[in-house]
Coordinates of all heavy atoms in Angstrom, one line a residue:
M118 N 134.1 121.0 55.5 CA 133.6 122.1 54.8 C 133.7 123.4 55.6 O 133.7 124.4 55.0 CB 132.2 121.8 54.3 CG 132.1 120.8 53.2 SD 130.8 121.2 52.1 CE 129.7 119.9 52.5
R119 N 133.6 123.2 56.9 CA 133.6 124.4 57.7 C 134.9 124.4 58.6 O 135.3 123.4 59.0 CB 132.4 124.5 58.7 CG 131.2 124.8 57.9 CD 130.0 125.0 58.9 NE 128.8 125.5 58.2 CZ 128.5 126.7 58.0 NH1 129.3 127.7 58.5 NH2 127.4 127.1 57.4
A120 N 135.5 125.5 58.8 CA 136.7 125.7 59.6 C 136.5 126.9 60.5 O 136.4 128.0 60.0 CB 137.9 125.8 58.7
G121 N 136.4 126.7 61.8 CA 136.2 127.8 62.7 C 134.9 128.6 62.4 O 134.9 129.8 62.6
G122 N 133.8 127.9 62.0 CA 132.6 128.6 61.7 C 132.5 129.3 60.3 O 131.5 129.8 59.9
R123 N 133.6 129.2 59.6 CA 133.6 129.8 58.2 C 133.7 128.6 57.2 O 134.4 127.7 57.5 CB 134.8 130.7 58.1 CG 134.7 131.9 59.0 CD 135.2 133.1 58.4 NE 134.9 133.2 57.0 CZ 134.9 134.3 56.4 NH1 135.2 135.4 57.0 NH2 134.6 134.4 55.1
V124 N 133.1 128.8 56.1 CA 133.1 127.8 55.1 C 134.5 127.9 54.3 O 134.9 129.0 54.0 CB 132.0 127.9 54.1 CG1 132.1 127.0 52.9 CG2 130.6 127.8 54.8
V125 N 135.1 126.7 54.2 CA 136.4 126.7 53.5 C 136.1 126.4 52.0 O 135.5 125.5 51.7 CB 137.3 125.6 54.0 CG1 138.6 125.5 53.2 CG2 137.6 125.8 55.5
L126 N 136.5 127.4 51.1 CA 136.2 127.3 49.7 C 137.3 126.9 48.8 O 137.2 126.9 47.6 CB 135.6 128.6 49.3 CG 134.3 129.1 50.0 CD1 133.9 130.4 49.5 CD2 133.2 128.1 49.9
N127 N 138.5 126.5 49.4 CA 139.6 126.2 48.6 C 139.4 124.8 48.0 O 138.9 123.9 48.6 CB 140.9 126.2 49.4 CG 141.2 127.5 50.0 OD1 140.8 128.5 49.4 ND2 142.0 127.5 51.0
N128 N 139.9 124.6 46.7 CA 139.9 123.3 46.0 C 138.5 122.7 45.9 O 138.3 121.5 45.9 CB 140.8 122.3 46.7 CG 142.2 122.8 46.8 OD1 142.7 123.4 45.8 ND2 142.9 122.5 47.9
L129 N 137.4 123.5 45.8 CA 136.1 123.0 45.5 C 135.6 123.4 44.1 O 136.1 124.4 43.6 CB 135.1 123.7 46.5 CG 135.4 123.4 48.0 CD1 134.4 124.2 48.9 CD2 135.3 121.9 48.3
S130 N 134.8 122.6 43.6 CA 134.2 122.9 42.3 C 133.3 124.1 42.4 O 132.9 124.5 43.4 CB 133.4 121.7 41.7 OG 132.2 121.6 42.5
V131 N 133.1 124.7 41.2 CA 132.2 125.9 41.2 C 130.8 125.6 41.8 O 130.3 126.3 42.5 CB 132.1 126.4 39.7 CG1 131.0 127.5 39.6 CG2 133.4 126.8 39.2
Q132 N 130.3 124.4 41.4 CA 129.0 124.0 41.9 C 128.9 123.9 43.4 O 128.0 124.4 44.1 CB 128.5 122.7 41.3 CG 128.2 122.8 39.8 CD 129.4 122.4 39.0 OE1 130.5 122.3 39.5 NE2 129.2 122.3 37.7
V133 N 129.9 123.2 44.0 CA 130.0 123.0 45.4 C 130.2 124.4 46.1 O 129.5 124.7 47.1 CB 131.1 122.1 45.8 CG1 131.3 122.0 47.3 CG2 130.8 120.7 45.3
R134 N 131.1 125.2 45.6 CA 131.3 126.5 46.2 C 130.1 127.4 46.2 O 129.7 128.0 47.2 CB 132.4 127.2 45.4 CG 132.9 128.6 46.0 CD 134.0 129.2 45.2 NE 135.2 128.4 45.1 CZ 135.6 127.8 44.0 NH1 135.0 128.1 42.8 NH2 136.7 127.1 44.0
E135 N 129.3 127.4 45.1 CA 128.1 128.2 45.0 C 127.0 127.7 46.0 O 126.4 128.4 46.7 CB 127.5 128.2 43.6 CG 128.3 129.0 42.7 CD 127.8 129.0 41.2 OE1 126.8 128.3 41.0 OE2 128.4 129.7 40.4
C136 N 126.9 126.3 46.1 CA 126.0 125.8 47.1 C 126.3 126.2 48.5 O 125.4 126.6 49.3 CB 125.9 124.2 47.0 SG 125.2 123.6 45.5
L137 N 127.6 126.1 48.9 CA 128.0 126.5 50.2 C 127.8 128.0 50.5 O 127.5 128.4 51.6 CB 129.5 126.1 50.4 CG 129.8 124.6 50.4 CD1 131.3 124.4 50.5 CD2 129.1 123.9 51.5
Q138 N 128.0 128.8 49.4 CA 127.8 130.2 49.6 C 126.3 130.5 49.8 O 125.9 131.3 50.7 CB 128.3 131.0 48.4 CG 129.8 131.1 48.3 CD 130.3 131.6 47.0 OE1 129.6 131.6 46.0 NE2 131.6 132.0 47.0
H139 N 125.4 129.8 49.1 CA 124.0 130.0 49.3 C 123.6 129.5 50.7 O 122.8 130.1 51.4 CB 123.2 129.2 48.3 CG 123.2 129.8 46.9 ND1 122.6 131.0 46.7 CD2 123.6 129.4 45.7 CE1 122.7 131.3 45.4 NE2 123.3 130.3 44.8
A140 N 124.2 128.4 51.1 CA 123.9 127.9 52.5 C 124.3 128.9 53.5 O 123.5 129.1 54.5 CB 124.6 126.5 52.7
E141 N 125.5 129.4 53.4 CA 125.9 130.4 54.4 C 125.0 131.6 54.4 O 124.7 132.2 55.5 CB 127.4 130.8 54.1 CG 128.0 131.6 55.2 CD 129.5 131.7 55.1 OE1 130.1 130.8 54.5 OE2 130.0 132.6 55.8
H142 N 124.6 132.1 53.2 CA 123.6 133.2 53.1 C 122.3 132.9 53.9 O 121.8 133.7 54.7 CB 123.4 133.5 51.7 CG 122.3 134.6 51.5 ND1 122.5 135.9 51.8 CD2 121.0 134.4 51.1 CE1 121.4 136.6 51.5 NE2 120.4 135.7 51.2
C143 N 121.8 131.7 53.7 CA 120.6 131.3 54.4 C 120.8 131.2 55.9 O 119.9 131.6 56.6 CB 120.1 129.9 53.8 SG 119.5 129.9 52.2
A144 N 121.9 130.7 56.3 CA 122.2 130.7 57.8 C 122.2 132.1 58.4 O 121.7 132.3 59.5 CB 123.5 130.0 58.0
R145 N 122.8 133.0 57.6 CA 122.9 134.4 58.1 C 121.5 135.0 58.1 O 121.1 135.7 59.1 CB 123.8 135.3 57.2 CG 125.3 135.1 57.5 CD 126.1 136.2 56.8 NE 125.9 136.3 55.4 CZ 126.5 135.7 54.4 NH1 127.4 134.8 54.8 NH2 126.2 135.9 53.2
Q146 N 120.7 134.7 57.1 CA 119.3 135.2 57.1 C 118.5 134.6 58.2 O 117.7 135.3 58.9 CB 118.6 134.8 55.8 CG 119.2 135.6 54.6 CD 118.9 137.1 54.7 OE1 117.8 137.5 55.2 NE2 119.8 137.9 54.1
A147 N 118.7 133.3 58.5 CA 118.0 132.7 59.6 C 118.3 133.3 61.0 O 117.4 133.6 61.8 CB 118.3 131.2 59.7
A148 N 119.6 133.6 61.1 CA 120.1 134.3 62.4 C 119.5 135.6 62.6 O 119.3 136.1 63.7 CB 121.6 134.3 62.4
A149 N 119.2 136.3 61.5 CA 118.6 137.7 61.6 C 117.1 137.7 61.8 O 116.6 138.8 62.0 CB 119.0 138.4 60.3
Q150 N 116.4 136.6 61.7 CA 115.0 136.6 61.7 C 114.5 136.6 63.2 O 115.1 135.9 64.1 CB 114.4 135.3 61.0 CG 114.7 135.3 59.6 CD 114.2 136.5 58.8 OE1 113.1 136.9 59.0 NE2 115.1 137.0 58.0
T151 N 113.4 137.3 63.4 CA 112.7 137.2 64.7 C 111.5 136.4 64.6 O 111.0 135.8 65.6 CB 112.3 138.6 65.2 OG1 111.5 139.3 64.1 CG2 113.5 139.5 65.4
N152 N 111.0 136.2 63.4 CA 109.8 135.3 63.1 C 110.3 133.9 63.1 O 111.1 133.5 62.2 CB 109.2 135.7 61.8 CG 108.0 134.9 61.4 OD1 108.0 133.7 61.4 ND2 106.8 135.6 61.2
C153 N 109.7 133.0 64.0 CA 110.2 131.6 64.0 C 110.0 130.9 62.7 O 110.8 130.0 62.4 CB 109.5 130.9 65.2 SG 110.0 131.5 66.8
K154 N 108.9 131.1 62.1 CA 108.6 130.4 60.8 C 109.6 130.8 59.7 O 110.1 129.9 59.0 CB 107.1 130.7 60.4 CG 106.8 130.1 59.0 CD 106.8 128.6 59.1 CE 106.3 128.0 57.8 NZ 107.1 126.9 57.3
L155 N 109.9 132.0 59.6 CA 110.9 132.5 58.6 C 112.3 131.9 59.0 O 113.0 131.4 58.1 CB 111.0 134.0 58.6 CG 109.8 134.7 57.8 CD1 110.0 136.2 57.9 CD2 109.7 134.2 56.4
K156 N 112.6 131.9 60.3 CA 113.9 131.3 60.7 C 114.0 129.8 60.3 O 115.0 129.4 59.7 CB 114.1 131.4 62.2 CG 115.4 130.9 62.7 CD 115.5 131.0 64.2 CE 115.7 132.4 64.7 NZ 117.1 132.9 64.6
E157 N 112.9 129.1 60.6 CA 112.8 127.7 60.2 C 113.0 127.5 58.7 O 113.7 126.6 58.2 CB 111.5 127.0 60.6 CG 111.4 126.8 62.1 CD 110.1 126.2 62.5 OE1 109.4 125.5 61.6 OE2 109.6 126.4 63.6
D158 N 112.3 128.3 57.9 CA 112.4 128.2 56.4 C 113.8 128.5 55.9 O 114.3 127.7 55.1 CB 111.4 129.2 55.8 CG 110.0 128.9 55.9 OD1 109.7 127.7 56.3 OD2 109.1 129.7 55.7
F159 N 114.5 129.5 56.5 CA 115.9 129.7 56.1 C 116.8 128.6 56.5 O 117.7 128.2 55.7 CB 116.4 131.1 56.6 CG 116.0 132.2 55.8 CD1 115.1 133.2 56.3 CD2 116.5 132.4 54.5 CE1 114.7 134.3 55.5 CE2 116.1 133.5 53.7 CZ 115.2 134.4 54.3
L160 N 116.6 128.0 57.7 CA 117.4 126.9 58.1 C 117.2 125.7 57.2 O 118.1 124.9 56.9 CB 117.1 126.6 59.6 CG 117.6 127.6 60.6 CD1 117.2 127.3 62.0 CD2 119.2 127.8 60.5
E161 N 115.9 125.5 56.8 CA 115.6 124.4 55.9 C 116.3 124.6 54.6 O 116.8 123.6 54.0 CB 114.1 124.2 55.8 CG 113.7 123.1 54.8 CD 114.2 121.7 55.3 OE1 114.4 121.5 56.5 OE2 114.4 120.9 54.4
M162 N 116.3 125.8 54.1 CA 117.0 126.1 52.8 C 118.5 125.9 53.0 O 119.1 125.3 52.1 CB 116.7 127.5 52.4 CG 115.3 127.7 51.7 SD 115.1 129.3 50.9 CE 115.1 130.4 52.2
E163 N 119.0 126.2 54.1 CA 120.4 126.0 54.4 C 120.7 124.5 54.3 O 121.7 124.1 53.6 CB 120.9 126.5 55.7 CG 122.3 126.2 56.0 CD 122.7 126.5 57.5 OE1 121.8 126.4 58.4 OE2 123.9 126.6 57.7
R164 N 119.9 123.7 55.0 CA 120.1 122.2 54.9 C 120.1 121.7 53.5 O 120.8 120.8 53.1 CB 119.1 121.5 55.8 CG 119.4 121.6 57.3 CD 118.5 120.7 58.1 NE 117.1 121.2 58.2 CZ 116.7 122.1 59.0 NH1 117.5 122.7 59.9 NH2 115.4 122.5 59.0
R165 N 119.1 122.2 52.7 CA 119.0 121.7 51.3 C 120.2 122.1 50.5 O 120.7 121.3 49.7 CB 117.7 122.2 50.7 CG 116.5 121.6 51.3 CD 115.2 122.2 50.8 NE 114.1 121.7 51.5 CZ 113.1 121.0 51.0 NH1 113.1 120.9 49.7 NH2 112.1 120.6 51.7
W166 N 120.7 123.3 50.7 CA 121.9 123.7 49.9 C 123.1 122.9 50.3 O 123.9 122.5 49.5 CB 122.2 125.2 50.2 CG 121.4 126.1 49.4 CD1 120.5 127.0 49.8 CD2 121.4 126.3 47.9 NE1 119.9 127.7 48.7 CE2 120.5 127.3 47.6 CE3 122.1 125.6 46.9 CZ2 120.2 127.7 46.3 CZ3 121.9 126.0 45.6 CH2 121.0 127.0 45.3
L167 N 123.2 122.6 51.6 CA 124.3 121.7 52.1 C 124.2 120.3 51.6 O 125.2 119.7 51.2 CB 124.4 121.7 53.6 CG 124.8 123.0 54.3 CD1 124.7 122.9 55.8 CD2 126.2 123.4 53.9
F168 N 123.0 119.8 51.5 CA 122.7 118.5 50.9 C 123.1 118.4 49.4 O 123.8 117.5 49.0 CB 121.3 118.1 51.1 CG 121.0 116.7 50.5 CD1 121.3 115.6 51.3 CD2 120.4 116.5 49.3 CE1 121.0 114.3 50.8 CE2 120.2 115.3 48.8 CZ 120.5 114.2 49.5
L169 N 122.8 119.5 48.7 CA 123.1 119.6 47.3 C 124.7 119.6 47.1 O 125.2 119.0 46.3 CB 122.5 120.8 46.6 CG 122.7 120.9 45.1 CD1 122.2 119.7 44.4 CD2 122.0 122.2 44.6
A170 N 125.3 120.4 48.0 CA 126.8 120.5 47.9 C 127.4 119.1 48.2 O 128.3 118.7 47.5 CB 127.3 121.5 49.0
R171 N 126.9 118.4 49.2 CA 127.4 117.0 49.4 C 127.2 116.1 48.2 O 128.0 115.2 47.9 CB 126.8 116.4 50.7 CG 127.4 117.1 52.0 CD 127.0 116.3 53.2 NE 125.5 116.3 53.4 CZ 124.8 117.2 54.1 NH1 125.5 118.2 54.6 NH2 123.5 117.1 54.2
S172 N 126.0 116.3 47.6 CA 125.7 115.4 46.4 C 126.7 115.7 45.3 O 127.2 114.8 44.6 CB 124.3 115.7 45.9 OG 123.3 115.3 46.9
Y173 N 127.0 117.0 45.0 CA 128.0 117.3 44.0 C 129.3 116.8 44.4 O 130.0 116.2 43.5 CB 128.1 118.9 43.9 CG 127.1 119.5 43.0 CD1 126.3 120.6 43.4 CD2 126.9 119.1 41.7 CE1 125.4 121.2 42.6 CE2 126.0 119.7 40.8 CZ 125.2 120.7 41.3 OH 124.3 121.3 40.5
E174 N 129.7 116.9 45.7 CA 131.0 116.3 46.1 C 131.1 114.8 45.9 O 132.1 114.3 45.4 CB 131.3 116.7 47.6 CG 131.7 118.1 47.8 CD 131.9 118.4 49.3 OE1 131.1 117.8 50.1 OE2 132.8 119.1 49.6
F175 N 130.0 114.1 46.2 CA 130.0 112.7 46.1 C 130.1 112.3 44.6 O 130.9 111.4 44.2 CB 128.7 112.1 46.6 CG 128.6 110.6 46.4 CD1 129.3 109.7 47.1 CD2 127.7 110.2 45.4 CE1 129.2 108.3 46.8 CE2 127.6 108.8 45.1 CZ 128.3 107.9 45.8
T176 N 129.4 113.0 43.7 CA 129.4 112.8 42.3 C 130.8 113.0 41.8 O 131.4 112.2 41.0 CB 128.4 113.6 41.6 OG1 127.1 113.4 42.1 CG2 128.4 113.4 40.1
E177 N 131.5 114.1 42.2 CA 132.9 114.4 41.8 C 133.8 113.3 42.2 O 134.7 112.8 41.5 CB 133.3 115.7 42.3 CG 132.5 116.9 41.6 CD 132.6 118.2 42.3 OE1 133.5 118.3 43.2 OE2 131.9 119.1 41.9
R178 N 133.7 112.9 43.5 CA 134.6 111.8 44.0 C 134.4 110.5 43.3 O 135.3 109.8 43.0 CB 134.4 111.6 45.5 CG 135.2 112.7 46.3 CD 135.1 112.4 47.8 NE 134.1 113.2 48.3 CZ 133.1 112.8 49.2 NH1 133.1 111.6 49.6 NH2 132.2 113.6 49.6
L179 N 133.1 110.2 43.0 CA 132.8 109.0 42.3 C 133.4 109.0 40.9 O 134.0 108.0 40.4 CB 131.3 108.8 42.2 CG 130.8 107.5 41.6 CD1 131.3 106.3 42.4 CD2 129.3 107.5 41.5
G180 N 133.3 110.2 40.2 CA 134.0 110.3 38.9 C 135.5 110.2 39.0 O 136.1 109.5 38.1
D181 N 136.1 110.8 40.0 CA 137.5 110.6 40.2 C 137.9 109.2 40.4 O 138.9 108.7 39.8 CB 138.0 111.5 41.4 CG 137.9 112.9 41.2 OD1 137.8 113.4 40.0 OD2 138.0 113.7 42.2
F182 N 137.2 108.5 41.2 CA 137.4 107.0 41.5 C 137.3 106.2 40.2 O 138.1 105.4 39.9 CB 136.5 106.5 42.6 CG 136.6 105.0 42.8 CD1 137.6 104.6 43.6 CD2 135.7 104.2 42.2 CE1 137.7 103.2 43.8 CE2 135.8 102.8 42.5 CZ 136.8 102.3 43.3
S183 N 136.2 106.5 39.5 CA 136.0 105.8 38.2 C 137.1 106.0 37.2 O 137.6 105.1 36.6 CB 134.7 106.2 37.6 OG 134.4 105.5 36.4
D184 N 137.6 107.3 37.1 CA 138.6 107.6 36.2 C 139.9 106.9 36.6 O 140.7 106.4 35.7 CB 138.9 109.1 36.2 CG 137.7 109.9 35.5 OD1 136.9 109.3 34.8 OD2 137.7 111.1 35.7
E185 N 140.2 106.9 37.9 CA 141.4 106.2 38.4 C 141.4 104.7 38.1 O 142.4 104.1 37.7 CB 141.6 106.5 39.9 CG 142.9 105.9 40.5 CD 144.2 106.5 40.0 OE1 144.1 107.6 39.4 OE2 145.2 105.8 40.1
A186 N 140.2 104.1 38.3 CA 140.1 102.7 38.1 C 140.3 102.4 36.6 O 140.9 101.4 36.2 CB 138.7 102.2 38.5
K187 N 139.8 103.3 35.7 CA 139.9 103.1 34.3 C 141.4 103.2 33.9 O 141.9 102.4 33.1 CB 139.1 104.1 33.6 CG 139.3 104.2 32.1 CD 138.6 103.1 31.3 CE 138.6 103.4 29.8 NZ 139.6 102.5 29.2
R188 N 142.1 104.2 34.5 CA 143.5 104.3 34.2 C 144.3 103.1 34.6 O 145.2 102.6 33.9 CB 144.1 105.6 34.9 CG 143.8 106.9 34.1 CD 144.6 108.0 34.7 NE 144.3 108.3 36.1 CZ 143.3 109.1 36.5 NH1 142.5 109.6 35.6 NH2 143.1 109.3 37.7
N189 N 144.0 102.6 35.8 CA 144.7 101.4 36.3 C 144.4 100.2 35.5 O 145.2 99.3 35.3 CB 144.3 101.2 37.8 CG 144.9 102.2 38.7 OD1 145.9 102.8 38.4 ND2 144.3 102.4 39.9
T190 N 143.1 100.0 35.0 CA 142.8 98.9 34.2 C 143.5 99.0 32.8 O 144.0 98.0 32.3 CB 141.2 98.9 33.9 OG1 140.6 98.8 35.2 CG2 140.8 97.8 33.0
D191 N 143.6 100.2 32.3 CA 144.4 100.4 31.0 C 145.8 100.0 31.2 O 146.5 99.7 30.2 CB 144.2 101.8 30.6 CG 142.8 102.2 30.1 OD1 142.0 101.3 29.9 OD2 142.5 103.4 30.0
K192 N 146.4 100.0 32.4 CA 147.8 99.7 32.6 C 148.0 98.2 32.7 O 149.1 97.7 32.7 CB 148.3 100.4 33.8 CG 148.4 101.9 33.7 CD 148.8 102.4 35.1 CE 148.8 103.9 35.1 NZ 149.1 104.5 36.4
L193 N 146.9 97.4 32.9 CA 147.1 96.0 33.1 C 147.6 95.3 31.8 O 147.2 95.7 30.7 CB 145.7 95.3 33.4 CG 145.2 95.6 34.8 CD1 143.8 95.0 35.0 CD2 146.1 95.0 35.9
P194 N 148.4 94.3 32.0 CA 148.8 93.5 30.8 C 147.6 92.9 30.1 O 146.6 92.6 30.7 CB 149.7 92.4 31.3 CG 150.1 92.8 32.7 CD 149.0 93.8 33.2
E195 N 147.7 92.7 28.8 CA 146.5 92.1 28.0 C 146.0 90.9 28.6 O 144.8 90.7 28.7 CB 147.0 91.9 26.6 CG 145.9 91.4 25.7 CD 144.9 92.5 25.3 OE1 145.3 93.7 25.4 OE2 143.7 92.2 25.0
A196 N 146.8 90.0 29.2 CA 146.4 88.7 29.7 C 145.5 88.9 31.0 O 144.7 88.1 31.3 CB 147.6 87.8 30.0
L197 N 145.7 90.0 31.7 CA 145.0 90.3 32.9 C 143.8 91.2 32.8 O 143.1 91.4 33.7 CB 145.9 90.8 34.0 CG 147.1 89.9 34.4 CD1 148.0 90.6 35.4 CD2 146.6 88.6 35.0
A198 N 143.6 91.8 31.6 CA 142.6 92.8 31.4 C 141.2 92.1 31.6 O 141.0 91.0 31.2 CB 142.7 93.4 30.0
P199 N 140.2 92.8 32.2 CA 138.9 92.2 32.4 C 138.2 91.6 31.2 O 137.6 90.6 31.3 CB 138.1 93.4 33.0 CG 139.1 94.3 33.6 CD 140.3 94.1 32.7
A200 N 138.4 92.2 30.0 CA 137.8 91.7 28.8 C 138.2 90.3 28.5 O 137.5 89.5 27.8 CB 138.0 92.7 27.7
S201 N 139.4 90.0 28.8 CA 140.0 88.7 28.4 C 139.6 87.6 29.4 O 139.8 86.4 29.1 CB 141.5 88.7 28.2 OG 142.1 89.0 29.5
I202 N 139.1 87.9 30.6 CA 138.8 86.9 31.6 C 137.8 85.9 31.1 O 137.9 84.7 31.3 CB 138.4 87.5 32.9 CG1 139.6 88.3 33.5 CG2 137.9 86.5 33.9 CD1 139.3 89.1 34.7
G203 N 136.7 86.4 30.5 CA 135.6 85.5 30.0 C 136.0 84.7 28.8 O 135.4 83.7 28.4
A204 N 137.1 85.1 28.1 CA 137.5 84.4 26.9 C 138.3 83.1 27.2 O 138.6 82.3 26.3 CB 138.4 85.3 26.0
C205 N 138.7 82.9 28.4 CA 139.5 81.7 28.8 C 138.6 80.4 28.7 O 137.5 80.4 29.0 CB 140.0 81.8 30.2 SG 141.1 83.1 30.5
S206 N 139.3 79.4 28.2 CA 138.5 78.1 28.2 C 139.3 77.1 29.1 O 140.5 77.1 29.2 CB 138.5 77.5 26.8 OG 139.8 77.3 26.3
Y207 N 138.5 76.4 29.9 CA 139.0 75.5 30.9 C 138.7 74.1 30.5 O 137.6 73.8 30.0 CB 138.5 75.8 32.3 CG 138.9 77.2 32.8 CD1 138.1 78.3 32.5 CD2 140.0 77.4 33.5 CE1 138.4 79.6 33.0 CE2 140.4 78.6 34.0 CZ 139.6 79.7 33.7 OH 140.0 80.9 34.2
R208 N 139.7 73.2 30.8 CA 139.4 71.8 30.5 C 139.1 71.1 31.9 O 139.8 71.4 32.9 CB 140.6 71.1 29.9 CG 140.8 71.7 28.5 CD 142.0 70.9 27.9 NE 142.3 71.6 26.6 CZ 143.2 71.2 25.8 NH1 143.8 70.0 26.1 NH2 143.4 71.8 24.7
A209 N 138.1 70.3 31.9 CA 137.8 69.5 33.1 C 138.5 68.2 33.1 O 139.0 67.6 32.2 CB 136.3 69.3 33.1

């Protein structure tokens, strides 16, 4: 997410991009503070924005994985599709 101290915003969703921008703003605010408590508060807000960005990224990746799995399942021949597995009858 960071490259050379700068946040890389290419190929990110709107939600992730906004979270990273908020996080970077909080980091700049923390750096400008002389009051230790305010600095800590801004750094904590930065951590929370970064956590939210990672959560959005995880959700998006999970959705991509699920969509890909669905597409691959749809390509399976009827005999191999998961719905037909339980329909088999076995003789002992």
Side-chain angles (χ1 to χ4, degrees):
M118 285 212 253
R119 289 187 174 268
R123 298 211 40 157
V124 175
V125 178
L126 300 179
N127 298 338
N128 300 322
L129 298 176
S130 71
V131 172
Q132 292 90 351
V133 173
R134 185 178 303 114
E135 287 178 0
C136 290
L137 294 176
Q138 288 170 340
H139 284 297
E141 192 165 338
H142 173 75
C143 289
R145 284 193 306 271
Q146 290 294 327
Q150 298 304 314
T151 56
N152 180 305
C153 289
K154 176 63 176 138
L155 287 175
K156 183 182 285 278
E157 285 178 28
D158 288 345
F159 277 113
L160 290 173
E161 179 60 27
M162 283 192 292
E163 177 193 23
R164 282 189 289 275
R165 290 174 187 239
W166 280 115
L167 291 173
F168 181 81
L169 183 58
R171 285 190 299 272
S172 296
Y173 276 127
E174 285 180 319
F175 175 76
T176 302
E177 291 166 8
R178 279 188 263 134
L179 186 60
D181 292 345
F182 175 80
S183 179
D184 292 345
E185 182 66 21
K187 172 79 170 102
R188 281 191 297 276
N189 289 336
T190 301
D191 291 345
K192 292 177 187 175
L193 289 174
E195 185 69 28
L197 298 177
S201 66
I202 292 173
C205 295
S206 62
Y207 295 90
R208 293 185 189 184

